[in-house]
Amino acid sequence: MNLQEFSSYVPDVRNEKNQVYTVEEIVFIAMVSVLCGAETWNEIEIFGNSHEEYFKNRLPHLSGIPSEDTFNRFFTLLDIEWFEEIFRLWINDICSQLPGVVAIDGKAVCQTPHSKGHGMKDRLYMVSAWAVRNGLCLGQQKVDGKSNEITAIPELIKALDLTQCIVTIDAVGCQKAITETIIDAEADYILCVKDNQKKLKAQIFSLLTEEDRIYLPYKQSYFQQNDGHGRKEYRECVCDAAFYPEHFYAGWKGIKTIAKITCVRQVGNAEPTTETRCYISSLPQDPKLILESVRSHWQVENNLHWQLDVSFREDYTRKTDNAAVNFSLMCKMALILLKQSKKKIGIAGKRKLCGWDEKYRDEILGIQRIIPPEE
């Protein structure tokens, strides 16, 4: 399913009266413009007008370029769940489902207009699922302004096919209800224990301390060391079976392993810093797999959130409501398409090249130019 085909699946949510442009035309022009660097509805209109011939050669019945108000109204009316569902169909079409780590993490997209605070209720907040092996965003879920990530994460998990995947979530996702949702989805989990879960954290620390290891022969550990760029890092993962989970870990569905990861970092000649975190997992004891899965979780920050902030300037958006959520999804789609390109330049450079070179643009979009009959 290329981007033009994707546009044809988007439902028409407008009043039938006075329609000038088709849904396919509005969505396709908006998507291509975002791919080529447009960041506002006005910039989408400007890009469309400056490349009108290009769009007419690919949309044979296009009579002109919609105004910024038309784009804004359409994506404000477009139900975010409908758009998300089509996005997931598109993702399933371009990649095969491969077992591996799926990192789930939240990100503030923009500040709510007229808000004075900086908390979650004052910003539009999205939870995204990132497939590490495929390097793709599998989906997103808007966080209710009256709630938090804890309610959005289960909804996202239920909507995705995570069979045989390893779901990693930072400390906010360490909830009994979330472990149940993951297990019901036929997936496994590695969850970071929160600091305020003092009883659980103290129990793991107690069982996995250096002094106790000799008394518990089932403990396993894995070491990893990296040197480079003036920095040294040493990591150790120690894990043990979660014995008698129905008694000691009641309510944590599927729990099989407890783990403790210690990371020591030294930059140059500075004093080393040590960080220790505790985890629970439904995986069997495998300290190497647990350590590597936890490390790969941060790809959602580096490869998705950082790119959306730096290359797509998502933090600077002034859009609101459905328009902001739908625009965020279009940015994710553009990022996915650009990541598929093997050209050895950065994402920002690829966006510029899409705007400059029609041939490269069509290669990214996976479409061919349609020559009108009069030519």
Side-chain angles (χ1 to χ4, degrees), residues 38 50 55 57 67 126 239 267 271 275 313 337 346 359 362:
S50 61
F55 287 112
N57 287 334
S67 69
M126 304 293 298
C239 63
V267 180
E271 286 293 320
E275 182 180 34
R313 293 169 52 84
L337 289 170
K359 184 177 179 181
D362 283 345

Side-chain angles (χ1 to χ4, degrees), residues 86-101:
I86 301 168
F87 168 78
R88 290 169 185 165
L89 292 174
W90 178 73
I91 284 291
N92 290 336
D93 190 60
I94 66 174
C95 75
S96 57
Q97 179 64 42
L98 296 174
V101 175

Side-chain angles (χ1 to χ4, degrees), residues 46 59 70 83 128-129 141 167 187 219 263 267 271 275 278 290-291 310 314 339 347:
I46 293 172
L59 300 166
T70 299
F83 202 35
S128 301
Q141 182 74 33
V167 177
K219 279 192 177 69
C263 180
V267 180
E271 286 293 320
E275 182 180 34
C278 296
I290 291 175
L291 179 59
V310 175
E314 193 173 65
K339 281 182 173 291
I347 295 298

Side-chain angles (χ1 to χ4, degrees), residues 193-342:
V193 178
K194 294 190 291 186
D195 288 336
N196 62 3
Q197 293 172 317
K198 296 181 179 179
K199 184 177 179 180
L200 177 61
K201 195 167 187 178
Q203 185 173 334
I204 295 174
F205 262 111
S206 174
L207 292 171
L208 299 179
T209 56
E210 185 72 32
E211 294 76 12
D212 289 341
R213 290 187 199 181
I214 58 174
Y215 302 108
L216 296 172
Y218 299 106
K219 279 192 177 69
Q220 299 182 29
S221 62
Y222 174 73
F223 305 89
Q224 193 178 74
Q225 185 169 339
N226 300 100
D227 299 327
H229 304 287
R231 181 176 62 185
K232 297 180 179 179
E233 292 187 351
Y234 167 83
R235 303 176 190 84
E236 179 191 31
C237 177
V238 181
C239 63
D240 194 12
F243 292 106
Y244 304 109
E246 66 282 354
H247 177 72
F248 294 107
Y249 307 96
W252 298 101
K253 187 170 182 178
I255 185 172
K256 294 179 182 177
T257 301
I258 56 173
K260 178 169 68 74
I261 296 178
T262 302
C263 180
V264 180
R265 295 185 180 90
Q266 183 177 21
V267 180
N269 296 321
E271 286 293 320
T273 60
T274 302
E275 182 180 34
T276 302
R277 293 185 177 184
C278 296
Y279 296 84
I280 59 172
S281 177
S282 62
L283 294 168
Q285 282 181 268
D286 189 336
K288 180 179 179 181
L289 176 61
I290 291 175
L291 179 59
E292 292 179 347
S293 298
V294 168
R295 287 199 67 197
S296 69
H297 172 84
W298 300 109
Q299 288 190 30
V300 69
E301 290 284 353
N302 300 330
N303 296 340
L304 179 62
H305 294 165
W306 186 86
Q307 289 287 1
L308 290 174
D309 284 343
V310 175
S311 300
F312 290 81
R313 293 169 52 84
E314 193 173 65
D315 275 0
Y316 296 92
T317 184
R318 298 174 64 86
K319 304 168 195 69
T320 60
D321 303 322
N322 284 13
V325 177
N326 290 326
F327 200 95
S328 175
L329 194 60
M330 287 196 290
C331 288
K332 289 182 172 71
M333 290 183 66
L335 178 61
I336 290 169
L337 289 170
L338 293 169
K339 281 182 173 291
Q340 305 305 303
S341 171
K342 296 181 180 179

Side-chain angles (χ1 to χ4, degrees), residues 12 14-23 25-26 61-67 70 73:
D12 194 343
R14 302 169 296 169
N15 189 309
E16 294 182 2
K17 188 177 180 181
N18 298 326
Q19 288 188 7
V20 179
Y21 308 100
T22 66
V23 172
E25 291 168 346
I26 294 172
H61 303 292
L62 181 67
S63 60
I65 301 300
S67 69
T70 299
R73 283 196 302 268

Side-chain angles (χ1 to χ4, degrees), residues 355-372:
W356 297 333
D357 188 338
E358 289 187 7
K359 184 177 179 181
Y360 180 70
R361 186 189 308 158
D362 283 345
E363 178 186 325
I364 294 293
L365 295 171
I367 63 174
Q368 294 181 346
R369 178 175 181 265
I370 300 174
I371 303 175

